[in-house]
Amino acid sequence: MYRHNPVRRAAALPHAPVPDWSKLARDDYVEVRTSSGAVFAGTIDMIAANRSVFWVIRSDGAGRTMVYSGDDVSVTKVARRREFAAA
């Protein structure tokens, strides 16, 4: 018998900036907003032990970008969109 399984989306996380970067970890999906208003998103690839800097593999294909806590940036942890539901 055929059973329809609709595409499931990941639960949305609150879209509030993460002021304490100690809560971030490798493989977290984040959105970064710079002081100039530029926004990019991606997956944290590497993060320093003191959480002062991390590298993001950008989802827009622009490679890796270093994000430093001393820069005027806002970081928000967001849920990834899943294209297909698990069978």
Side-chain angles (χ1 to χ4, degrees):
M1 171 185 245
Y2 176 79
R3 181 175 172 192
H4 176 69
N5 289 325
V7 175
R8 295 185 182 115
R9 300 282 178 204
L13 295 175
H15 287 336
V18 178
D20 181 7
W21 287 11
S22 69
K23 307 289 186 207
L24 298 176
R26 187 166 189 242
D27 293 328
D28 282 348
Y29 193 76
V30 295
E31 182 179 274
V32 179
R33 184 175 306 272
T34 67
S35 60
S36 66
V39 178
F40 63 90
T43 304
I44 295 178
D45 180 40
M46 296 176 72
I47 189 163
N50 68 0
R51 300 304 199 253
S52 65
V53 64
F54 61 87
W55 288 88
V56 175
I57 298 176
R58 294 175 57 156
S59 59
D60 61 4
R64 285 177 33 165
T65 300
M66 184 182 77
V67 180
Y68 173 60
S69 61
D71 295 338
D72 190 14
V73 295
S74 172
V75 178
T76 305
K77 188 173 172 181
V78 296
R80 286 181 216 207
R81 291 188 176 181
R82 296 187 322 199
E83 296 301 320
F84 302 100

